[in-house]
Amino acid sequence: MEVSPAIEIAKHTLLSGGIILTVGTITGFVARKLTVPDIALFLIVGMAIGPSVLGLIDIKADSALYQIILLFGASYILFDGGASLRFEVLKKVWITIVVLATIGVLITAAVTSAAAHVVLGVPWIVALLLGAAIASTDPATLVPIFRQVEIRDRVAQTVMSESAFNDATGAIVTVGVLSVAMGTGEFSLTSSLFDLLKQTVIGLVAGTVLGYLAALMIAHERWAFLEEYAPIVTLVAVIGAYFAADNLQASGFMAVFVFGIVLGNKDAFGFKMGKAEQQKLNEFVATTAFIMRLFIFLLLGSQVDFHLMGQYWLGGLIVVLIFMLVARPVTVFLCALPDQRAQWSFNEMLFMCWTRETGVIPAALAGLLLGMKAPGAPIVASVTFIAILMTILIQAPTTKWLGGRLGLLEKK
């Protein structure tokens, strides 16, 4: 009996999912025993089980399955991160967050672009594409780190918030440079600023409205008719927040993050869930976020193209070192030091200099450039993967150690 192609694809997908869950669970257990952020091990194991090494899984980056996992997984991790933030902390550091997420991205892109132009000898337009693609920090990477490493609240919340808000800036700058590189238009500062403002406002409104409605339905004293279905409400609302913003040409990730902040601070609006239902929701969110994390980073590791990286490894290594050790510190000190309201200490700023992991968002932008055959796209993709590997494998595992050395670890 001949099996239809659709069934074969379904069986292959189911098998791949089973392998990822099994390998990911074991890897997560090992990471906990070693007391290191699990995303670093997920990335390494993902490279090992991917098509370039063992070939246990082979899910293409342009497949619908990969994109679904990327969109929903990153969205849910962002929601989880937003729910851990507190209004009383954010109101003290919001100026630093806004400056880092806007001007900070431009500073990082400028320094990295200059390094790429000099070290790799590429034209300025290619260097600018590279700088823009990797300038934003990655929320899907940073949120799990601060879930596992207990760093001083205001530092952790600033870095997580920056990563959630700066993906819109990074994408806008990348698309603006790309339009010039492809000869389809000229970069307009006014238009880009308006686009950023529009995305921010829509993301904030969409996330706030859905967050309030979700809190109303699961935690209001009289109208919480969906309290026992709170986990399902979060799933539906995460998807709804993403598409509400995305359909209005705004950042879906920003909307989801704001939704998480509002729901996580529902007590500030007078909403309170029962203890048992709140515990059930917390356990569901933690488990779902873990599953999304292992899927995203195992698959991200499996996408690493060793042949592509090998073509530009030495120059890429130097550029990424400048990116990590020059561009990020310059960005942090220029953006955080003037904030008199926050009054950042030197140790706090030094820690923020080290926490700027690159991950899912830059990888997606590099994939976009490859798909559109942008000038120098292979070089951009190569250096992007080098940045992902170096920041996640070097910075993530040393986060707790550095936090301890700088006196920023807290017991919650």
Side-chain angles (χ1 to χ4, degrees), residues 317-381:
L317 183 68
I318 296 170
V319 170
V320 173
L321 284 173
I322 295 171
F323 170 64
M324 293 167 59
L325 304 178
V326 179
R328 178 60 176 180
V330 168
T331 298
V332 168
F333 279 93
L334 285 178
C335 295
L337 194 58
D339 187 357
Q340 295 301 309
R341 183 184 178 89
Q343 294 186 324
W344 296 104
S345 69
F346 178 78
N347 281 3
E348 287 173 328
M349 289 189 289
L350 194 60
F351 181 83
M352 288 192 285
C353 290
W354 190 243
T355 49
R356 64 92 45 246
E357 280 77 353
T358 306
V360 174
I361 306 301
L365 290 174
L368 170 70
L369 298 179
L370 278 173
M372 295 187 68
K373 294 182 170 51
I379 299 176
V380 174

Side-chain angles (χ1 to χ4, degrees), residues 6 27 31-32 69 113 129 160 173 213 215 231 235 254 258 262 271 312 331 333-334 361 371:
T27 304
R32 191 178 65 182
I69 292 171
S113 298
L129 279 174
M160 283 194 287
V173 174
L213 288 175
L235 290 176
M254 186 184 298
V258 173
V262 173
F271 301 140
Y312 309 100
T331 298
F333 279 93
L334 285 178
I361 306 301

Side-chain angles (χ1 to χ4, degrees), residues 26-39 41 148:
I26 296 170
T27 304
F29 173 77
V30 172
R32 191 178 65 182
K33 290 296 182 183
L34 296 176
T35 65
V36 298
D38 52 24
I39 59 169
L41 288 189
Q148 295 173 287

